[in-house]
């Protein structure tokens, strides 16, 4: 254990760097609660999305690294802000008119439009938990409503009431003049309508633990700030939660940089210590624009998993979280194959290298042991599907079983999952974009030599032998850059601008089929 800790502590992998930073914090200030607390937040007015997954996944990576570096127990709270007032009716819910009648009320006070749970908030929380459970995350679910109503937050809420003006001073510099003049960190719930009100607080009464405000009908009302009668504005709410729960680590997006700064100020005002924070960059769409749930641009987690493996998504999310990433369909094939390459290299690496391999962290040091047959890749399957116009995975299995005897959906479930996804990706993206062209004179001469070579190759020749000769033919025909030769093969034979190792592809597709493919290109 000591040896592993020493090696891990010297790793430059970002989850380790974050875990070491957190470890320094708890050494200086051991947690009185007896464990180190990680937290992620969720707004349950909408369905869990790829940002939700990214935050929980990345936080889990740090938690795993911390657990290997320290004997202190850890917890991960998945916190749902389900006491938030619903501001608009989501597009993707039934019974919109019923939901509209409850606008402004806490999500947990609105009837469930789906008819399956006691409230809209409970339904969305169940969706979140099912989502997290499907990926095997370890977490403890926390409901904002339950924390407010049960008294978990009461002590800190009363402190916030006593230090009301200090909190106001921390927030108002970023607000407009009109908003700043009426700002209060407390949002009282109307005793008459149950709505969460952004009402002007007329008076704070710390000795009574209450606030006085004008209700929606203009009458003065007084309610306690405890017991779920008030909710805090979100920046103050975040800080109050950090203080009450003693959160040690929570990451957030770049768009919340100012909110983290202000929340940290409020946390100190409340007598707490702000958590360690990692600010991650945002996802971008095909055009380089920020992905937005309301716009519906970019790629959803369901779409990624329709075309690729969960592990490839995790690799995409593992890569430098401080760097903005294009989240679009064209990044999928590269990440599928890169994951397989990293998995393949892991057993051959020295211990120090292994601890910097993303796959080691993705699987918490226990990566899968089964591998794809040598030479097979997602890109290879896509190109095979392209050549044979495969709409059915069974078509590809006809070639795969000959290339890798003994491989079948039953014996190779990981490969079977990849084949199904490759067919779906080919059908939706590759086939519509296929564009063949005729070979140039130089390319025609090289293709003719390749055809003559393949006619003389014995059946069963391996992909490396064929690949070597493909290289040599490119050299003999004096292509300025060998990439031009391979691009010519892809564009004339496969109808794409990129492709697989041609030697492996020819071995998979079969010599007779490959000879026919080249002959057809030459005939064109």
């Amino acid at each position: 254990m000591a040896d592993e800790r020493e090696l891990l502590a010297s790793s430059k992998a970002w989850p380790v760097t974050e875990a070491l930073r957190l470890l320094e914090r708890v050494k200086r200030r051991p947690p009185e609660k007896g464990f180190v607390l990680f937290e992620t937040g969720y707004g349950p007015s909408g369905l869990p999305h790829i940002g939700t997954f990214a935050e929980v996944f990345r936080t889990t990576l740090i938690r795993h690294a911390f657990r290997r570096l320290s004997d202190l127990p850890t917890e991960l709270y998945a916190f749902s802000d389900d006491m938030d007032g619903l501001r608009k009716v989501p597009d993707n819910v039934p019974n919109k008119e019923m939901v509209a009648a409850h606008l402004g009320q806490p999500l947990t006070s609105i009837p469930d439009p789906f008819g399956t749970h006691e409230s809209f908030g409970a339904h969305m929380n169940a969706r979140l938990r099912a989502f997290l459970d499907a990926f095997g995350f370890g977490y403890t679910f926390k409901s904002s409503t339950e924390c407010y109503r049960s008294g978990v937050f009461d002590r800190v809420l009363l402190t916030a009431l006593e230090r009301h003006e200090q909190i106001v001073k921390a927030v108002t510099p970023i607000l407009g003049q009109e908003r700043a003049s009426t700002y209060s960190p407390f949002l009282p719930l109307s005793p008459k309508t149950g709505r969460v009100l952004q009402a002007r607080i007329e008076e704070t009464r710390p000795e009574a633990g209450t606030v006085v405000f004008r209700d929606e009908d203009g009458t003065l009302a007084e309610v306690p700030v405890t017991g779920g009668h008030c909710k805090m504005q979100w920046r103050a709410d975040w800080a109050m939660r950090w203080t009450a729960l003693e959160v040690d680590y929570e990451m957030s997006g770049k768009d919340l940089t100012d909110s983290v700064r202000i929340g940290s100020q409020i946390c100190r005002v409340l007598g707490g210590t702000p958590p360690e924070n990692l600010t991650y960059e945002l996802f971008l769409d095909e055009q380089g624009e920020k992905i937005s749930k309301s716009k519906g641009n970019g790629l959803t987690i369901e779409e990624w998993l329709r075309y690729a493996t969960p592990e490839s998504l995790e690799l995409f999310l593992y890569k430098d979280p401080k760097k903005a990433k294009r989240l679009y369909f064209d990044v999928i094939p590269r990440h599928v194959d890169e994951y397989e390459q990293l998995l393949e290299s892991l057993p051959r690496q020295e211990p120090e290298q292994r601890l910097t391999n993303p796959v080691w962290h993705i699987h918490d040091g226990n990566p899968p042991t089964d591998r794809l047959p040598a030479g097979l890749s997602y890109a290879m399957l896509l190109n095979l599907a392209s050549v044979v116009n495969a709409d059915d995975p069974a078509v590809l299995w006809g070639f795969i079983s000959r290339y890798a005897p003994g491989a079948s959906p039953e014996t190779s479930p990981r490969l079977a999952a990849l084949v199904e996804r490759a067919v779906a990706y080919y059908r939706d993206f590759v086939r519509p974009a296929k564009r063949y062209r005729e070979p140039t004179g130089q390319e025609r001469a090289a293709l003719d030599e390749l055809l003559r070579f393949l006619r003389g190759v014995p059946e069963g020749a391996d992909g490396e032998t064929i690949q070597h000769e493909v290289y040599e033919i490119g050299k003999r025909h004096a292509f300025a850059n060998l990439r031009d030769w391979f691009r010519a093969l892809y564009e004339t034979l496969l109808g794409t601008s990129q492709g697989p190792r041609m030697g492996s592809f020819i071995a998979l597709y079969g010599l007779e089929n490959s000879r026919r493919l080249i002959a057809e290109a030459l005939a064109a």
Side-chain angles (χ1 to χ4, degrees):
M1 179 63 73
D3 290 342
E4 183 190 77
R5 282 185 177 175
E6 188 176 334
L7 283 174
L8 189 60
S10 65
S11 168
K12 301 301 181 186
W14 71 261
V16 176
T17 303
E18 289 298 298
L20 287 170
R21 187 157 61 87
L22 179 57
L23 187 59
E24 286 302 312
R25 168 197 174 96
V26 298
K27 283 180 179 177
R28 294 191 305 269
R29 193 182 302 104
E32 293 182 9
K33 59 188 177 296
F35 60 91
V36 175
L37 178 57
F38 297 80
E39 183 182 63
T40 64
Y42 168 62
S45 59
L47 295 174
H49 54 89
I50 203 161
T52 311
F53 178 83
E55 195 164 308
V56 179
F57 170 67
R58 287 167 171 167
T59 303
T60 297
L61 292 176
I62 301 165
R63 184 187 180 196
H64 286 164
F66 184 89
R67 191 193 70 239
R68 290 176 179 273
L69 292 165
S70 170
D71 294 324
L72 282 170
T74 65
E75 284 270 4
L76 169 60
Y77 285 177
F79 191 94
S80 172
D81 192 15
D82 56 17
M83 198 170 162
D84 200 16
L86 184 65
R87 290 181 287 277
K88 66 177 184 178
V89 180
D91 293 332
N92 56 355
V93 300
N95 300 312
K96 290 183 174 59
E97 289 185 6
M98 181 273 288
V99 175
H102 294 273
L103 283 177
Q105 292 182 3
L107 292 159
T108 44
S109 298
I110 299 172
D112 180 14
F114 298 90
T116 59
H117 291 76
E118 64 270 21
S119 70
F120 187 14
H123 178 97
M124 301 306 283
N125 287 339
R127 298 284 286 267
L128 170 67
R129 297 171 78 167
F131 175 83
L132 298 178
D133 292 344
F135 289 97
F137 290 119
Y139 66 95
T140 299
F141 178 77
K142 289 290 180 180
S143 158
S144 175
T145 302
E146 291 178 9
C147 288
Y148 270 102
R149 292 177 179 172
S150 67
V152 169
F153 292 156
D154 281 1
R155 178 185 62 81
V156 183
L157 289 169
L158 291 171
T159 302
L161 184 61
E162 293 171 1
R163 301 172 188 178
H164 184 270
E165 291 309 308
Q166 292 174 259
I167 298 172
V168 170
K169 287 179 182 178
V171 177
T172 50
I174 67 164
L175 303 178
Q177 185 175 356
E178 183 179 350
R179 181 75 186 89
S181 67
T182 62
Y183 175 81
S184 168
F186 289 102
L187 300 174
L189 272 66
S190 168
K192 297 174 181 176
T193 67
R195 292 190 178 94
V196 182
L197 303 181
Q198 195 163 291
R200 182 188 186 98
I201 300 299
E202 302 290 340
E203 186 181 351
T204 60
R205 296 178 175 174
E207 68 288 348
T210 61
V211 291
V212 178
F213 65 99
R214 290 204 176 273
D215 207 337
E216 293 179 283
D217 60 3
T219 60
L220 283 175
E222 182 177 0
V223 296
V225 297
T226 54
H229 295 284
C230 283
K231 184 187 185 301
M232 297 199 82
Q233 300 255 20
W234 78 272
R235 292 184 185 90
D237 183 270
W238 209 7
M240 180 275 297
R241 188 196 314 165
W242 290 343
T243 306
L245 301 178
E246 300 177 55
V247 177
D248 295 296
Y249 193 96
E250 181 162 1
M251 62 175 61
S252 55
K254 183 180 179 181
D255 54 338
L256 297 180
T257 301
D258 281 343
S259 298
V260 171
R261 177 179 56 80
I262 293 168
S264 297
Q265 288 179 248
I266 298 171
C267 185
R268 295 186 184 98
V269 167
L270 295 173
T273 302
E276 296 300 309
N277 170 267
L278 178 146
T279 300
Y280 54 80
E281 264 288 359
L282 306 176
F283 297 125
L284 307 176
D285 67 7
E286 186 182 20
Q287 309 303 325
E289 299 292 328
K290 175 188 168 183
I291 283 178
S292 163
K293 282 193 292 182
S294 59
K295 289 182 182 177
N297 57 340
L299 182 64
T300 68
I301 192 167
E302 293 81 10
E303 287 169 329
W304 186 295
L305 297 180
R306 188 183 310 148
Y307 303 116
T309 58
E311 294 85 0
S312 63
L313 174 60
E314 291 170 340
L315 175 62
F316 175 82
L317 297 175
Y318 176 93
K319 290 181 176 179
D320 193 357
K322 295 183 179 181
K323 182 179 179 181
K325 297 179 180 65
R326 283 181 66 256
L327 180 59
Y328 206 66
F329 296 100
D330 57 3
V331 306
I332 288 176
R334 173 165 51 90
H335 284 86
V336 176
D337 283 340
E338 187 176 348
Y339 168 82
E340 295 297 339
Q341 291 159 9
L342 289 167
L343 179 63
E344 181 68 30
S345 68
L346 198 64
R348 303 191 301 271
Q349 292 179 319
E350 295 297 323
E352 296 88 345
Q353 294 175 302
R354 205 172 296 147
L355 295 176
T356 62
N357 187 322
V359 168
W360 189 91
H361 292 275
I362 287 170
H363 294 286
D364 191 22
N366 296 292
T369 56
D370 56 326
R371 301 288 187 269
L372 299 181
L376 278 184
S377 66
Y378 190 75
M380 186 76 70
L381 295 172
L382 287 178
N383 283 283
L384 179 60
S386 180
V387 170
V388 301
N389 292 307
D391 275 319
D392 185 343
V395 175
L396 299 193
W397 279 107
F399 294 92
I400 294 169
S401 58
R402 187 185 65 239
Y403 174 80
S408 69
E410 293 72 32
T411 61
S412 306
R414 284 188 65 240
L415 178 57
L418 212 56
V419 169
E420 287 187 9
R421 289 166 169 82
V423 169
Y425 191 93
Y426 158 72
R427 183 176 56 244
D428 292 348
F429 298 104
V430 178
R431 184 164 59 189
K434 284 172 66 171
R435 299 290 184 272
Y436 291 92
R437 67 169 177 84
E438 294 183 19
T440 65
Q442 180 191 29
E443 294 164 354
R444 185 175 294 275
L447 283 168
D448 185 66
E449 182 176 347
L450 177 58
L451 178 58
R452 284 186 276 113
F453 165 74
L454 293 178
R455 283 172 176 160
V457 171
E459 291 296 329
D462 63 84
E464 286 303 317
T465 300
I466 299 170
Q467 181 73 6
H468 174 76
E469 188 59 25
V470 173
Y471 264 105
E472 294 303 313
I473 290 172
K475 292 177 184 177
R476 286 196 290 273
H477 286 267
F479 285 89
N481 190 318
L482 278 178
R483 283 197 297 270
D484 296 336
W485 164 227
F486 284 101
R487 188 180 302 112
L489 290 169
Y490 303 145
E491 292 175 351
T492 61
L493 303 181
L494 305 179
T496 63
S497 59
Q498 300 180 45
R501 284 174 59 87
M502 286 306 297
S504 299
F505 175 77
I506 290 169
L508 173 62
Y509 190 42
L511 290 174
E512 182 57 36
N513 290 327
S514 299
R515 290 192 287 261
R516 187 183 309 113
L517 186 66
I518 297 170
E520 289 172 355
L522 289 170

